Amino acid sequence: MSPLIKCRKMCVNIISFEKQKETFENYWSIKNISQRETYISSLIDVTNKSTERRRLITSSKNREITAFYHIVLEGTRINICKQCFQKIFSITNKFLEVMIKKKKIML
């Protein structure tokens, strides 16, 4: 677990270091990898992107969805940024991509 960054969502002000540490320890105390994947997947919401800008025919953008990352504090889901989500749980970008891909299939 590394310190949170200063971001637009002000995650560093919302989540105390003690809560970060508690969340980190709870997550990594889950020994089964599939249960960890399920836990992380439950904290990510995936929706179709809401708007699209008109572009030239030759240009293409691949993004089809928007992902929202949450953390549970005192029974309430709080929206946080992707970087802070990764830092709190010490997970890689590739792991998140796989989780989002799995959720996108179910969408």
Side-chain angles (χ1 to χ4, degrees), residues 44-86:
I44 301 172
D45 291 337
V46 176
T47 60
N48 291 321
K49 66 180 184 176
S50 59
T51 59
E52 190 169 323
R53 199 175 100 205
R54 286 193 168 158
R55 299 188 183 276
L56 297 174
I57 296 171
T58 57
S59 69
S60 65
K61 295 290 181 175
N62 296 334
R63 188 171 73 89
E64 299 170 357
I65 55 106
T66 301
F68 296 99
Y69 305 93
H70 304 278
I71 188 170
V72 178
L73 292 178
E74 299 165 4
T76 307
R77 282 172 53 118
I78 299 171
N79 192 7
I80 61 173
C81 70
K82 179 181 179 180
Q83 289 80 18
C84 291
F85 189 81
Q86 286 180 279

